[in-house]
Amino acid sequence: MKKELAKRVLTAVIGIPIAIVVLYLGGLALVAAAIILSSLCIYEYFNLFKHINQKVFKYSAYTINAALIMGLYVILNQSGLEKVGYIFFLAFIAIFLFTAALSLFNKDKHPLNSFANSMSYIPYITLPFMALIILRMLYVSKLSYYTEFDLLLNDIFCAKFVISVFAAIWIGDSAAYFIGKAIGKHKIYRSVSPNKSWEGAIANLIFTVLGLYLIKALFFAEFPNVHIIVIGILIAVSGQIGDLFESKLKRHALIKDSSSILPGHGGFLDRLDSTLFVMPTVLIYILLIFTY
């Protein structure tokens, strides 16, 4: 137990400062990190299919993933959010047709499975990383409906906000881990994640909201309290759903961790399972309150 905790702490001590620096810098540093991390997550995700003897088109996935993330960055720099939906709608149609063609001309005995498996990484992994890029670059948007948030939208605010979301995830996860270990008795979903408890989940919710509120008070006090509380709740709930979802995938594949790359944390997919659900959720809410 102590050895495992020491590994977790050491990995966090090294990884968290690097993450903060990259998120603060934004730009190409964040894009490069997003492409690398998402590619590692896709590798680990596709490894789950290997354990259940199902085929995926992994090499095209890495290329498509990188192209979507880099393309988003270029479009945001040139046009804000105005053209993102239109261009990526066309891109997803092209990806759909390309993957269908691979399934058609591949000798796989189960083309329906290989097609569905090979498309599933986009909503699960690629889109959440794209949501992160949009949140960090929201200040370049040219939306015309901003109201009281006009003065908030700048590079520094976006950097502080995204870092705060990650900090809230880390605080909530840590609270759930330690309090769940200490007093967790009532299991949430024993057949999927036997160590997850309602006590840990409640601790996650409370500490996520409080942590985000305190960070907000220190670094961007002008942001309305009501939105911070709602965002904190959304982070806690969506993050825990993401955690349980990945646990169910691993349970189906009969493995404990997605990989062993990160000591004490398993793989990158294990470490980012909450984030993959949090980023799209927070982006949807932010776009709603900034544009209406």
Side-chain angles (χ1 to χ4, degrees):
M1 173 66 180
K2 290 183 178 180
K3 186 177 181 181
E4 188 70 13
L5 179 59
K7 289 180 180 180
R8 289 177 68 93
V9 171
L10 179 60
T11 302
V13 167
I14 296 172
I16 289 176
I18 295 174
I20 291 174
V21 170
V22 171
L23 291 169
Y24 184 81
L25 290 174
L28 288 175
L30 178 58
V31 171
I35 290 174
I36 292 170
L37 288 175
S38 59
S39 297
L40 289 168
C41 286
I42 291 170
Y43 170 79
E44 293 176 353
Y45 176 58
F46 281 174
N47 193 47
L48 299 178
F49 292 105
K50 183 179 178 181
H51 280 81
I52 57 176
N53 297 314
Q54 293 205 12
K55 186 178 180 62
V56 288
F57 307 126
K58 57 184 179 180
Y59 297 114
S60 62
Y62 299 134
T63 304
I64 290 169
N65 174 71
L68 286 173
I69 293 174
M70 179 57 75
L72 175 66
Y73 173 73
V74 172
I75 294 168
L76 285 174
N77 267 325
Q78 293 181 352
S79 307
L81 279 175
E82 288 181 330
K83 297 181 180 179
V84 167
Y86 172 73
I87 291 174
F88 279 96
F89 173 73
L90 297 178
F92 289 134
I93 292 176
I95 293 167
F96 177 90
L97 295 174
F98 175 74
T99 308
L102 288 178
S103 301
L104 177 63
F105 295 106
N106 195 276
K107 296 182 180 180
D108 183 25
K109 295 181 180 178
H110 305 284
L112 180 61
N113 287 346
S114 61
F115 171 74
N117 296 342
S118 299
M119 289 291 293
S120 62
Y121 74 92
I122 296 178
Y124 184 37
I125 296 172
T126 304
L127 288 183
F129 274 95
M130 292 171 69
L132 168 61
I133 300 294
I134 293 173
L135 280 171
R136 180 59 184 85
M137 295 181 65
L138 197 61
Y139 64 94
V140 305
S141 300
K142 295 178 173 60
L143 297 173
S144 57
Y145 303 107
Y146 296 144
T147 54
E148 69 267 28
F149 301 107
D150 281 342
L151 299 178
L152 291 182
L153 274 183
N154 56 61
D155 183 35
I156 298 300
F157 169 79
C158 290
K160 291 191 292 187
F161 179 78
V162 172
I163 291 171
S164 299
V165 170
F166 272 91
I169 295 172
W170 298 329
I171 291 169
D173 283 350
S174 299
Y177 178 79
F178 288 109
I179 293 177
K181 286 283 186 183
I183 62 172
K185 294 181 180 180
H186 301 86
K187 303 305 180 182
I188 297 176
Y189 202 165
R190 190 183 297 271
S191 63
V192 169
S193 186
N195 295 323
K196 297 283 191 304
S197 67
W198 282 110
E199 291 84 354
I202 293 170
N204 184 307
L205 176 62
I206 293 171
F207 279 87
T208 298
V209 174
L210 287 178
L212 188 61
Y213 185 85
L214 291 174
I215 294 168
K216 172 261 182 188
L218 290 172
F219 297 109
F220 46 100
E222 65 275 20
F223 198 78
N225 290 332
V226 63
H227 293 308
I228 282 296
I229 293 171
V230 174
I231 291 170
I233 294 171
L234 291 174
I235 290 171
V237 173
S238 63
Q240 292 184 81
I241 292 173
D243 194 340
L244 287 170
F245 178 74
E246 198 241 355
S247 294
K248 189 159 190 174
L249 295 180
K250 291 187 295 183
R251 181 73 61 175
H252 180 60
L254 300 178
I255 60 173
K256 182 179 182 295
D257 296 319
S258 59
S259 76
S260 57
I261 297 175
L262 299 173
H265 293 273
F268 284 97
L269 195 58
D270 297 319
R271 181 64 275 183
L272 296 171
D273 52 5
S274 298
T275 307
L276 295 177
F277 275 56
V278 167
M279 287 303 156
T281 303
V282 173
L283 176 61
I284 290 169
Y285 185 78
I286 286 293
L287 289 177
L288 287 176
I289 67 172
F290 269 57
T291 57
Y292 292 99

